[in-house]
Amino acid sequence: MDSEKVIRKLQKRIGKEQALKNVHQRRLTEAQLYIRQLESNQEKLLQEKNKQEEQLLRLDAYYQQQLLVKQVETIWQEFQRKLTIELLLADQSQELASAVLETEVSKLKEQIYQWIKLTLPLN
């Protein structure tokens, strides 16, 4: 009878240990699932960050393009103003007007070239 009591006590103890093992196994499984979810969320956040950075780069490129257009328009308007003044001040002969026009066009080309050279990065 003593051996039966010992066996029952051991079986109860084994049952408790098995139940405890099952609880720990379930918690481990839940923790692993939680870790996988966090890793998945981290990947999604990284992808979103990359998308936002790409969008910022596109917006910056668009801004730089618009800035370039605005500055070229300003140079063009200044050219037109100077040319009009020069033509009004110049003798009305066609040769002189043509020379003034050629000079102003050359100045405009040089201004645009210098501005582009300073503004746009060389790759």
Side-chain angles (χ1 to χ4, degrees):
M1 295 242 195
D2 283 336
S3 62
E4 288 180 15
K5 280 185 175 181
V6 171
I7 291 175
R8 275 190 239 131
K9 283 184 179 182
L10 287 175
Q11 285 176 339
K12 284 183 182 181
R13 188 169 181 187
I14 290 172
K16 287 180 185 179
E17 292 294 326
Q18 186 64 37
L20 189 57
K21 178 186 167 205
N22 291 340
V23 168
H24 288 306
Q25 183 64 41
R26 190 185 86 245
R27 287 184 181 170
L28 175 63
T29 304
E30 290 172 354
Q32 288 171 336
L33 177 62
Y34 182 69
I35 289 170
R36 281 194 294 270
Q37 288 173 341
L38 289 176
E39 288 171 346
S40 175
N41 287 342
Q42 184 179 13
E43 289 175 12
K44 289 176 185 175
L45 290 174
L46 183 59
Q47 289 173 353
E48 183 63 29
K49 179 184 173 194
N50 289 340
K51 286 180 185 177
Q52 289 176 352
E53 287 176 355
E54 288 175 13
Q55 186 177 13
L56 283 174
L57 288 174
R58 284 193 304 265
L59 287 173
D60 185 54
Y62 178 77
Y63 171 76
Q64 293 298 329
Q65 179 186 20
Q66 292 302 311
L67 184 62
L68 175 67
V69 168
K70 184 164 179 65
Q71 290 175 339
V72 168
E73 286 176 352
T74 302
I75 291 171
W76 178 251
Q77 289 171 354
E78 181 65 20
F79 166 74
Q80 287 178 324
R81 188 186 64 75
K82 283 183 179 178
L83 180 63
T84 303
I85 291 171
E86 290 291 328
L87 288 176
L88 288 175
L89 294 177
D91 186 281
Q92 292 300 320
S93 71
Q94 185 176 355
E95 291 175 10
L96 189 53
S98 179
V100 168
L101 179 61
E102 286 179 27
T103 303
E104 291 300 319
V105 168
S106 295
K107 287 180 187 178
L108 177 63
K109 284 180 182 179
E110 182 61 27
Q111 282 180 334
I112 291 173
Y113 172 76
Q114 290 298 325
W115 182 81
I116 289 174
K117 184 177 164 184
L118 294 173
T119 304
L120 299 178
L122 299 175
N123 291 335

